[in-house]
């Protein structure tokens, strides 16, 4: 994204779908960003997204994620209401338990991940994220 980070704070929306991105380190400088679409990339880590306090929507569908960060990461995103993480490589519910720290989360997709075939997947996820209004496309 370049070395002059001052201009990045003015970015509110980012649509970077299908760009073969493996890293989004400079995105951390987009301090006022609200909507981020990083679908269909090659991302395996979310750490550069920590502390984007204004982000309300994050689309990480169809990446290479095998785990999600701990609750400590998600509390740094207090405005996050919509999270799309379907079609990744998340193997089991325990790797997404940190989502309990996403207190404002209302819409979540995790379908088309290996974890979605686990017994009691839906009730476990609803206990981790009890304030969801929509889960995997179904209104609750």
């Amino acid at each position: 994204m370049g070395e002059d980070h001052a201009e990045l704070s003015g970015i509110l929306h980012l649509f970077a779908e299908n760009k073969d991105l493996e890293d989004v380190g400079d995105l951390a400088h987009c301090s006022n960003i609200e909507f981020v679409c990083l679908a269909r990339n090659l991302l395996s880590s979310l750490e550069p997204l920590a502390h984007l306090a204004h982000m309300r929507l994050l689309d990480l569908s169809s990446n290479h994620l095998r785990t999600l960060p701990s609750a400590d990461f998600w509390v740094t995103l207090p405005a996050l209401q919509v999270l799309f993480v379907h079609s990744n490589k998340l193997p089991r519910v325990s790797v997404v338990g940190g989502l309990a720290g996403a207190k404002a989360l209302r819409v979540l997709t995790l379908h088309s991940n290996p974890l979605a075939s686990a017994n009691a997947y839906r009730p476990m996820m609803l206990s981790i994220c009890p304030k969801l209004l929509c889960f995997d496309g179904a209104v609750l």
Side-chain angles (χ1 to χ4, degrees), residues 77-108:
L77 306 175
L80 186 65
Q81 297 176 358
V82 179
L83 178 62
F84 301 129
V85 199
H86 58 276
S87 301
N88 275 281
K89 299 178 180 187
L90 300 167
R92 58 194 167 282
V93 173
S94 63
V95 303
V96 299
L99 287 173
K103 301 298 184 189
L105 195 61
R106 299 298 179 262
V107 178
L108 174 64

mmCIF file of all heavy atoms in Angstrom, residues 77-108:
data_model
loop_
_atom_site.group_PDB
_atom_site.id
_atom_site.type_symbol
_atom_site.label_atom_id
_atom_site.label_comp_id
_atom_site.label_asym_id
_atom_site.label_seq_id
_atom_site.Cartn_x
_atom_site.Cartn_y
_atom_site.Cartn_z
ATOM 1 N N LEU A 77 -11.717 -4.683 18.051
ATOM 2 C CA LEU A 77 -12.620 -4.338 16.941
ATOM 3 C C LEU A 77 -14.032 -4.143 17.503
ATOM 4 O O LEU A 77 -14.951 -4.884 17.179
ATOM 5 C CB LEU A 77 -12.624 -5.460 15.888
ATOM 6 C CG LEU A 77 -11.264 -5.883 15.338
ATOM 7 C CD1 LEU A 77 -11.412 -7.084 14.411
ATOM 8 C CD2 LEU A 77 -10.591 -4.737 14.627
ATOM 9 N N PRO A 78 -14.225 -3.135 18.336
ATOM 10 C CA PRO A 78 -15.504 -2.994 19.062
ATOM 11 C C PRO A 78 -16.710 -2.693 18.180
ATOM 12 O O PRO A 78 -17.850 -2.910 18.605
ATOM 13 C CB PRO A 78 -15.238 -1.836 20.028
ATOM 14 C CG PRO A 78 -14.183 -1.033 19.344
ATOM 15 C CD PRO A 78 -13.302 -2.050 18.653
ATOM 16 N N ALA A 79 -16.519 -2.216 16.964
ATOM 17 C CA ALA A 79 -17.640 -1.883 16.086
ATOM 18 C C ALA A 79 -18.007 -3.021 15.139
ATOM 19 O O ALA A 79 -19.011 -2.938 14.423
ATOM 20 C CB ALA A 79 -17.316 -0.625 15.274
ATOM 21 N N LEU A 80 -17.240 -4.100 15.124
ATOM 22 C CA LEU A 80 -17.456 -5.177 14.157
ATOM 23 C C LEU A 80 -18.805 -5.863 14.378
ATOM 24 O O LEU A 80 -19.034 -6.475 15.403
ATOM 25 C CB LEU A 80 -16.331 -6.209 14.231
ATOM 26 C CG LEU A 80 -16.386 -7.304 13.161
ATOM 27 C CD1 LEU A 80 -16.182 -6.711 11.767
ATOM 28 C CD2 LEU A 80 -15.354 -8.372 13.448
ATOM 29 N N GLN A 81 -19.678 -5.732 13.387
ATOM 30 C CA GLN A 81 -21.015 -6.327 13.454
ATOM 31 C C GLN A 81 -21.210 -7.471 12.477
ATOM 32 O O GLN A 81 -22.035 -8.344 12.714
ATOM 33 C CB GLN A 81 -22.071 -5.260 13.179
ATOM 34 C CG GLN A 81 -22.097 -4.148 14.187
ATOM 35 C CD GLN A 81 -23.098 -3.068 13.816
ATOM 36 O OE1 GLN A 81 -23.760 -3.114 12.787
ATOM 37 N NE2 GLN A 81 -23.201 -2.066 14.667
ATOM 38 N N VAL A 82 -20.482 -7.451 11.353
ATOM 39 C CA VAL A 82 -20.671 -8.444 10.297
ATOM 40 C C VAL A 82 -19.321 -9.066 9.960
ATOM 41 O O VAL A 82 -18.373 -8.353 9.631
ATOM 42 C CB VAL A 82 -21.291 -7.802 9.034
ATOM 43 C CG1 VAL A 82 -21.463 -8.832 7.932
ATOM 44 C CG2 VAL A 82 -22.613 -7.126 9.364
ATOM 45 N N LEU A 83 -19.260 -10.402 10.032
ATOM 46 C CA LEU A 83 -18.020 -11.121 9.743
ATOM 47 C C LEU A 83 -18.334 -12.327 8.864
ATOM 48 O O LEU A 83 -19.096 -13.213 9.254
ATOM 49 C CB LEU A 83 -17.359 -11.589 11.044
ATOM 50 C CG LEU A 83 -16.079 -12.404 10.912
ATOM 51 C CD1 LEU A 83 -14.971 -11.596 10.233
ATOM 52 C CD2 LEU A 83 -15.624 -12.887 12.285
ATOM 53 N N PHE A 84 -17.744 -12.338 7.681
ATOM 54 C CA PHE A 84 -17.888 -13.462 6.759
ATOM 55 C C PHE A 84 -16.566 -14.226 6.740
ATOM 56 O O PHE A 84 -15.547 -13.688 6.311
ATOM 57 C CB PHE A 84 -18.226 -12.987 5.348
ATOM 58 C CG PHE A 84 -19.495 -12.188 5.254
ATOM 59 C CD1 PHE A 84 -19.505 -10.965 4.610
ATOM 60 C CD2 PHE A 84 -20.681 -12.659 5.793
ATOM 61 C CE1 PHE A 84 -20.671 -10.215 4.503
ATOM 62 C CE2 PHE A 84 -21.851 -11.920 5.700
ATOM 63 C CZ PHE A 84 -21.842 -10.700 5.053
ATOM 64 N N VAL A 85 -16.588 -15.464 7.213
ATOM 65 C CA VAL A 85 -15.387 -16.281 7.256
ATOM 66 C C VAL A 85 -15.667 -17.654 6.636
ATOM 67 O O VAL A 85 -14.950 -18.612 6.866
ATOM 68 C CB VAL A 85 -14.866 -16.454 8.697
ATOM 69 C CG1 VAL A 85 -13.406 -16.879 8.694
ATOM 70 C CG2 VAL A 85 -14.986 -15.181 9.499
ATOM 71 N N HIS A 86 -16.714 -17.743 5.839
ATOM 72 C CA HIS A 86 -17.032 -19.025 5.215
ATOM 73 C C HIS A 86 -16.004 -19.387 4.141
ATOM 74 O O HIS A 86 -15.256 -18.528 3.676
ATOM 75 C CB HIS A 86 -18.457 -19.005 4.629
ATOM 76 C CG HIS A 86 -18.691 -17.932 3.620
ATOM 77 N ND1 HIS A 86 -19.037 -16.645 3.970
ATOM 78 C CD2 HIS A 86 -18.611 -17.947 2.266
ATOM 79 C CE1 HIS A 86 -19.165 -15.912 2.874
ATOM 80 N NE2 HIS A 86 -18.912 -16.689 1.813
ATOM 81 N N SER A 87 -15.971 -20.652 3.812
ATOM 82 C CA SER A 87 -15.088 -21.177 2.761
ATOM 83 C C SER A 87 -13.605 -20.927 3.047
ATOM 84 O O SER A 87 -12.862 -20.476 2.177
ATOM 85 C CB SER A 87 -15.472 -20.601 1.392
ATOM 86 O OG SER A 87 -16.800 -20.924 1.084
ATOM 87 N N ASN A 88 -13.215 -21.218 4.265
ATOM 88 C CA ASN A 88 -11.803 -21.195 4.632
ATOM 89 C C ASN A 88 -11.390 -22.620 5.000
ATOM 90 O O ASN A 88 -12.009 -23.566 4.503
ATOM 91 C CB ASN A 88 -11.566 -20.206 5.777
ATOM 92 C CG ASN A 88 -11.360 -18.794 5.269
ATOM 93 O OD1 ASN A 88 -10.280 -18.448 4.813
ATOM 94 N ND2 ASN A 88 -12.403 -17.977 5.330
ATOM 95 N N LYS A 89 -10.413 -22.763 5.847
ATOM 96 C CA LYS A 89 -9.911 -24.088 6.219
ATOM 97 C C LYS A 89 -9.959 -24.291 7.725
ATOM 98 O O LYS A 89 -9.089 -24.948 8.295
ATOM 99 C CB LYS A 89 -8.487 -24.261 5.685
ATOM 100 C CG LYS A 89 -8.423 -24.169 4.170
ATOM 101 C CD LYS A 89 -7.018 -24.295 3.652
ATOM 102 C CE LYS A 89 -7.051 -24.193 2.124
ATOM 103 N NZ LYS A 89 -5.746 -24.462 1.539
ATOM 104 N N LEU A 90 -10.954 -23.723 8.366
ATOM 105 C CA LEU A 90 -11.080 -23.796 9.820
ATOM 106 C C LEU A 90 -11.501 -25.214 10.215
ATOM 107 O O LEU A 90 -12.602 -25.644 9.885
ATOM 108 C CB LEU A 90 -12.081 -22.755 10.307
ATOM 109 C CG LEU A 90 -11.700 -21.309 9.963
ATOM 110 C CD1 LEU A 90 -12.872 -20.371 10.190
ATOM 111 C CD2 LEU A 90 -10.482 -20.876 10.759
ATOM 112 N N PRO A 91 -10.637 -25.948 10.935
ATOM 113 C CA PRO A 91 -10.860 -27.376 11.146
ATOM 114 C C PRO A 91 -11.856 -27.753 12.246
ATOM 115 O O PRO A 91 -12.508 -28.791 12.152
ATOM 116 C CB PRO A 91 -9.472 -27.908 11.482
ATOM 117 C CG PRO A 91 -8.780 -26.754 12.119
ATOM 118 C CD PRO A 91 -9.328 -25.528 11.428
ATOM 119 N N ARG A 92 -11.952 -26.959 13.299
ATOM 120 C CA ARG A 92 -12.814 -27.328 14.433
ATOM 121 C C ARG A 92 -13.254 -26.071 15.174
ATOM 122 O O ARG A 92 -12.620 -25.031 15.086
ATOM 123 C CB ARG A 92 -12.114 -28.311 15.366
ATOM 124 C CG ARG A 92 -10.834 -27.819 15.930
ATOM 125 C CD ARG A 92 -9.989 -28.915 16.590
ATOM 126 N NE ARG A 92 -8.655 -28.428 16.846
ATOM 127 C CZ ARG A 92 -7.690 -28.305 15.925
ATOM 128 N NH1 ARG A 92 -7.917 -28.673 14.696
ATOM 129 N NH2 ARG A 92 -6.499 -27.819 16.248
ATOM 130 N N VAL A 93 -14.321 -26.202 15.925
ATOM 131 C CA VAL A 93 -14.908 -25.061 16.623
ATOM 132 C C VAL A 93 -13.919 -24.414 17.582
ATOM 133 O O VAL A 93 -13.924 -23.194 17.744
ATOM 134 C CB VAL A 93 -16.208 -25.479 17.346
ATOM 135 C CG1 VAL A 93 -16.741 -24.352 18.209
ATOM 136 C CG2 VAL A 93 -17.261 -25.913 16.328
ATOM 137 N N SER A 94 -13.030 -25.179 18.169
ATOM 138 C CA SER A 94 -12.086 -24.611 19.140
ATOM 139 C C SER A 94 -11.199 -23.522 18.537
ATOM 140 O O SER A 94 -10.747 -22.640 19.252
ATOM 141 C CB SER A 94 -11.217 -25.708 19.754
ATOM 142 O OG SER A 94 -10.428 -26.338 18.759
ATOM 143 N N VAL A 95 -10.972 -23.523 17.224
ATOM 144 C CA VAL A 95 -10.110 -22.505 16.612
ATOM 145 C C VAL A 95 -10.840 -21.192 16.368
ATOM 146 O O VAL A 95 -10.221 -20.214 15.954
ATOM 147 C CB VAL A 95 -9.434 -22.992 15.305
ATOM 148 C CG1 VAL A 95 -8.618 -24.241 15.553
ATOM 149 C CG2 VAL A 95 -10.427 -23.182 14.190
ATOM 150 N N VAL A 96 -12.135 -21.159 16.625
ATOM 151 C CA VAL A 96 -12.899 -19.915 16.455
ATOM 152 C C VAL A 96 -13.480 -19.432 17.780
ATOM 153 O O VAL A 96 -14.230 -18.457 17.814
ATOM 154 C CB VAL A 96 -14.019 -20.063 15.396
ATOM 155 C CG1 VAL A 96 -13.432 -20.400 14.048
ATOM 156 C CG2 VAL A 96 -15.057 -21.075 15.808
ATOM 157 N N GLY A 97 -13.099 -20.049 18.871
ATOM 158 C CA GLY A 97 -13.621 -19.687 20.191
ATOM 159 C C GLY A 97 -13.343 -18.252 20.594
ATOM 160 O O GLY A 97 -14.092 -17.660 21.370
ATOM 161 N N GLY A 98 -12.292 -17.671 20.048
ATOM 162 C CA GLY A 98 -11.961 -16.281 20.350
ATOM 163 C C GLY A 98 -13.030 -15.298 19.907
ATOM 164 O O GLY A 98 -13.060 -14.161 20.384
ATOM 165 N N LEU A 99 -13.923 -15.729 19.024
ATOM 166 C CA LEU A 99 -14.999 -14.838 18.576
ATOM 167 C C LEU A 99 -15.889 -14.378 19.736
ATOM 168 O O LEU A 99 -16.639 -13.415 19.590
ATOM 169 C CB LEU A 99 -15.857 -15.523 17.502
ATOM 170 C CG LEU A 99 -15.209 -15.656 16.135
ATOM 171 C CD1 LEU A 99 -16.078 -16.505 15.215
ATOM 172 C CD2 LEU A 99 -14.955 -14.288 15.516
ATOM 173 N N ALA A 100 -15.776 -15.026 20.868
ATOM 174 C CA ALA A 100 -16.523 -14.587 22.052
ATOM 175 C C ALA A 100 -16.147 -13.153 22.420
ATOM 176 O O ALA A 100 -16.927 -12.430 23.041
ATOM 177 C CB ALA A 100 -16.249 -15.522 23.227
ATOM 178 N N GLY A 101 -14.973 -12.706 22.011
ATOM 179 C CA GLY A 101 -14.538 -11.341 22.275
ATOM 180 C C GLY A 101 -15.134 -10.304 21.335
ATOM 181 O O GLY A 101 -14.979 -9.108 21.554
ATOM 182 N N ALA A 102 -15.820 -10.749 20.291
ATOM 183 C CA ALA A 102 -16.452 -9.836 19.323
ATOM 184 C C ALA A 102 -17.847 -9.492 19.825
ATOM 185 O O ALA A 102 -18.853 -10.024 19.352
ATOM 186 C CB ALA A 102 -16.501 -10.481 17.943
ATOM 187 N N LYS A 103 -17.919 -8.597 20.774
ATOM 188 C CA LYS A 103 -19.172 -8.313 21.496
ATOM 189 C C LYS A 103 -20.262 -7.679 20.642
ATOM 190 O O LYS A 103 -21.446 -7.857 20.917
ATOM 191 C CB LYS A 103 -18.888 -7.414 22.707
ATOM 192 C CG LYS A 103 -17.909 -8.002 23.691
ATOM 193 C CD LYS A 103 -18.415 -9.289 24.293
ATOM 194 C CE LYS A 103 -17.457 -9.808 25.360
ATOM 195 N NZ LYS A 103 -17.783 -11.136 25.810
ATOM 196 N N ALA A 104 -19.907 -6.957 19.583
ATOM 197 C CA ALA A 104 -20.917 -6.299 18.735
ATOM 198 C C ALA A 104 -21.347 -7.166 17.561
ATOM 199 O O ALA A 104 -22.233 -6.781 16.801
ATOM 200 C CB ALA A 104 -20.376 -4.965 18.220
ATOM 201 N N LEU A 105 -20.748 -8.355 17.412
ATOM 202 C CA LEU A 105 -21.012 -9.208 16.252
ATOM 203 C C LEU A 105 -22.473 -9.648 16.202
ATOM 204 O O LEU A 105 -22.997 -10.190 17.172
ATOM 205 C CB LEU A 105 -20.089 -10.433 16.293
ATOM 206 C CG LEU A 105 -19.978 -11.243 15.013
ATOM 207 C CD1 LEU A 105 -19.412 -10.402 13.875
ATOM 208 C CD2 LEU A 105 -19.100 -12.464 15.248
ATOM 209 N N ARG A 106 -23.127 -9.399 15.051
ATOM 210 C CA ARG A 106 -24.534 -9.761 14.873
ATOM 211 C C ARG A 106 -24.755 -10.706 13.694
ATOM 212 O O ARG A 106 -25.741 -11.427 13.659
ATOM 213 C CB ARG A 106 -25.395 -8.503 14.671
ATOM 214 C CG ARG A 106 -25.370 -7.531 15.838
ATOM 215 C CD ARG A 106 -25.917 -8.162 17.118
ATOM 216 N NE ARG A 106 -25.888 -7.258 18.246
ATOM 217 C CZ ARG A 106 -24.954 -7.234 19.180
ATOM 218 N NH1 ARG A 106 -23.943 -8.081 19.134
ATOM 219 N NH2 ARG A 106 -25.002 -6.377 20.180
ATOM 220 N N VAL A 107 -23.835 -10.689 12.727
ATOM 221 C CA VAL A 107 -23.946 -11.544 11.535
ATOM 222 C C VAL A 107 -22.624 -12.274 11.352
ATOM 223 O O VAL A 107 -21.566 -11.649 11.323
ATOM 224 C CB VAL A 107 -24.274 -10.703 10.277
ATOM 225 C CG1 VAL A 107 -24.333 -11.589 9.044
ATOM 226 C CG2 VAL A 107 -25.566 -9.926 10.461
ATOM 227 N N LEU A 108 -22.701 -13.603 11.227
ATOM 228 C CA LEU A 108 -21.505 -14.427 11.097
ATOM 229 C C LEU A 108 -21.762 -15.561 10.118
ATOM 230 O O LEU A 108 -22.810 -16.204 10.176
ATOM 231 C CB LEU A 108 -21.123 -15.016 12.456
ATOM 232 C CG LEU A 108 -19.970 -16.018 12.500
ATOM 233 C CD1 LEU A 108 -18.655 -15.382 12.079
ATOM 234 C CD2 LEU A 108 -19.855 -16.629 13.899
#
